[in-house]
Amino acid sequence: EAQVTQNPRYLITVTGKKLTVTCSQNMNHEYMSWYRQDPGLGLRQIYYSMNVEVTDKGDVPEGYKVSRKEKRNFPLILESPSPNQTSLYFCASTGRAEAFFGQGTRLTVV
Amino acid sequence: SQELEQSPQSLIVQEGKNLTINCTSSKTLYGLYWYKQKYGEGLIFLMMLQKGGEEKSHEKITAKLDEKKQQSSLHITASQPSHAGIYLCGADYYSGNTPLVFGKGTRLSVIA
C-alpha cells in the first residue's frame, strides 16, 4: 500500500528549541516536498527535493531546513522555531500521475 | 497573483443536491490533481487529469479538464454528509518535476 508517513502528528514546543519532523515514503518516488497549511493562505511550498542530495527552496523556506540523504526519507528541520511557524505541515511524495500526502503534523510553537 | 483560483470558496448544499467546484489556472497545466481534506487532517487523493478534455469518475464524483488544459471542474452528484470537507485542486505545471501549486480550497458543507 502506498504510504507517506509523517511523525509526529502533534507537537507543542517552545521558541528556539530545535525540532525535526520526519517523513518517509514507500513508493520509491524521486520527488518529495514539504508544505505548510494556514487558514486563508492555503497550502504553501516550503522545500522540495528532486532526488537524493538535491533540494531546493519553495515559496516559504525561511526558518526551515531539509535533507535528503536517502530516497525514502525527507525530514523537515526547524533549527530555532518561532511562534509564526505554528501551522499544519504536510509532506508529499510525487511520481508520474500520482502525488500522496502524509497525515500532517500540527505544530504549535509557544 | 494566485496562479490557481478555486471557486467558490465555500459552499453549503442540501443533502441530495448536485454541486460543482471549479479550478482555473493562469497558465496551461501539465496535470491537475483533486484532493479532499477533512478539517485538520491529511489530503486524500481523488483523481488526476492530464489530457485535454479528459473526464474521470469515482463513485459520485466526476472531474473534467477542459481542452485548453487551464480549467477543471469537480462535480458531485446527489451529495451526502460524507462528502463534506475541503476540496483542493493542485496544479502540476512541469511534468512532475516541481511541487504542486494549490488553490486555496473550497469548503463544502452538506446539510440534511
Side-chain angles (χ1 to χ4, degrees), chain A:
Chain A
E1 182 193 348
Q3 248 182 351
V4 178
T5 305
Q6 269 181 252
N7 279 298
R9 291 288 311 276
Y10 302 93
L11 181 60
I12 301 174
T13 190
V14 296
T15 300
K17 186 175 181 185
K18 181 179 178 179
L19 66 93
T20 300
V21 184
T22 62
C23 175
S24 179
Q25 52 99 357
N26 65 356
M27 294 161 280
N28 203 36
H29 285 160
E30 292 180 348
Y31 203 89
M32 297 182 75
S33 48
W34 277 101
Y35 294 83
R36 60 179 289 174
Q37 188 177 35
D38 302 287
L41 297 175
L43 278 158
R44 294 179 293 168
Q45 309 154 19
I46 303 172
Y47 266 96
Y48 60 95
S49 169
M50 291 172 64
N51 213 327
V52 175
E53 302 292 2
V54 181
T55 63
D56 208 348
K57 296 177 181 179
D59 296 323
V60 288
E62 293 78 22
Y64 305 95
K65 281 175 59 177
V66 292
S67 71
R68 189 90 181 275
K69 293 187 171 59
E70 46 187 346
K71 205 172 193 179
R72 62 180 291 122
N73 295 324
F74 189 44
L76 179 70
I77 303 153
L78 284 72
E79 294 270 2
S80 182
S82 62
N84 65 10
Q85 292 179 297
T86 292
S87 187
L88 180 59
Y89 291 86
F90 289 102
C91 175
S93 179
T94 308
R96 287 282 175 181
E98 62 180 16
F100 295 98
F101 283 75
Q103 284 296 97
T105 296
R106 184 167 291 282
L107 171 66
T108 302
V109 184
V110 298

Side-chain angles (χ1 to χ4, degrees), chain A residues 31 35 37 48 90 96 99, chain B residues 30 35 37 41 97-100:
Chain A
Y31 203 89
Y35 294 83
Q37 188 177 35
Y48 60 95
F90 289 102
R96 287 282 175 181
Chain B
Y30 176 82
Y35 293 88
Q37 184 185 23
E41 298 182 9
N97 286 327
T98 51
L100 299 182

Side-chain angles (χ1 to χ4, degrees), chain B residues 3-83:
Chain B
E3 287 180 330
L4 205 61
E5 295 281 349
Q6 265 187 257
S7 62
Q9 287 186 1
S10 63
L11 193 54
I12 302 172
V13 299
Q14 198 162 20
E15 185 176 353
K17 297 293 186 186
N18 303 336
L19 64 105
T20 300
I21 297 168
N22 293 302
C23 180
T24 302
S25 172
S26 58
K27 44 188 188 177
T28 302
L29 299 155
Y30 176 82
L32 192 285
Y33 292 74
W34 282 102
Y35 293 88
K36 178 186 173 186
Q37 184 185 23
K38 291 285 191 185
Y39 180 73
E41 298 182 9
L43 279 69
I44 300 166
F45 174 73
L46 296 175
M47 51 197 98
M48 187 265 192
L49 305 163
Q50 237 175 334
K51 298 175 187 170
E54 187 175 11
E55 180 175 319
K56 287 186 178 177
S57 292
H58 175 68
E59 298 178 347
K60 293 186 178 178
I61 301 176
T62 301
K64 300 178 189 178
L65 183 62
D66 74 335
E67 290 288 346
K68 286 175 146 182
K69 295 177 66 174
Q70 283 190 269
Q71 188 161 26
S72 179
S73 59
L74 186 85
H75 185 77
I76 298 177
T77 304
S79 58
Q80 300 168 353
S82 60
H83 288 127

